[in-house]
Amino acid sequence: MQALTGHENLAVFTNNLNVAFSASSNPSFQVTIAGGRLRYGDRDVLGSSAQSFFANYKVDIGIFGVAGVDEDGTLLDFHEDEVAARQAILANCRTSYLVLDNSKFGRSAHVRGGHLSDVTDIFTDKPVPQAFLESLKDAQTVVHLPGSEEGEQ
């Protein structure tokens, strides 16, 4: 969110209080947050209320992360509510951005929810390991790296 605060007139819909606070620093932004149970640590609002919240809107871009990515491209998290919120975001956006650092590739987490090929764009800090790229070979997913040409891995 910090990278987007220089823009003007964005409508931000989030279930994360850190994102909401960061977005609220720009007076031209309209920030809408989900209600429900607040999860300690990450400051995410999770549960059925958060899922319903995201289902009420159709947004241009959905931005989310994951706890890990299995070698077959399966997206992983530690809690079912995290997966449900992410899937609600994915189902209600026109373009989806998965944002993750390279440590997430191969990181173990036990709740399955989606696949790398489900997202339109992946933004990561280092090249995606070859084994994970194999799971994207037939997908339209574009991988973005800092300092690279648009859409180049």
Side-chain angles (χ1 to χ4, degrees):
M1 186 69 241
Q2 292 170 349
L4 296 174
T5 58
H7 292 269
E8 294 294 320
N9 302 314
L10 293 182
V12 177
F13 301 88
T14 185
N15 67 322
N16 184 278
L17 294 183
N18 295 322
V19 169
F21 287 136
S22 182
S24 70
S25 69
N26 185 321
S28 75
F29 285 11
Q30 175 188 339
V31 181
T32 306
I33 61 173
R37 181 178 47 84
L38 181 64
R39 186 170 64 133
Y40 176 78
D42 292 327
R43 296 186 178 147
D44 289 330
V45 176
L46 297 174
S48 60
S49 296
Q51 295 165 44
S52 296
F53 169 79
F54 289 118
N56 286 330
Y57 301 97
K58 186 69 171 187
V59 299
D60 291 330
I61 300 171
I63 304 172
F64 48 85
V66 295
V69 181
D70 197 58
E71 195 169 292
D72 67 0
T74 300
L75 304 179
L76 304 169
D77 265 302
F78 294 108
H79 302 281
E80 290 85 358
D81 286 343
E82 290 176 303
V83 170
R86 182 176 69 249
Q87 290 179 323
I89 294 169
L90 186 58
N92 294 289
C93 67
R94 293 176 182 88
T95 303
S96 55
Y97 290 176
L98 173 60
V99 179
L100 69 167
D101 65 73
N102 200 261
S103 72
K104 306 295 179 160
F105 293 104
R107 183 176 182 212
S108 182
H110 56 274
V111 184
R112 302 164 61 99
H115 191 271
L116 284 173
S117 62
D118 295 338
V119 302
T120 51
D121 295 84
I122 298 170
F123 291 84
T124 187
D125 59 335
K126 296 178 184 172
V128 175
Q130 188 61 39
F132 297 90
L133 287 177
E134 289 298 318
S135 69
L136 290 172
K137 66 181 175 185
D138 296 323
Q140 299 297 314
T141 305
V142 179
V143 177
H144 303 267
L145 295 169
S148 67
E149 290 295 318
E150 192 66 24
E152 288 186 8
Q153 157 85 24

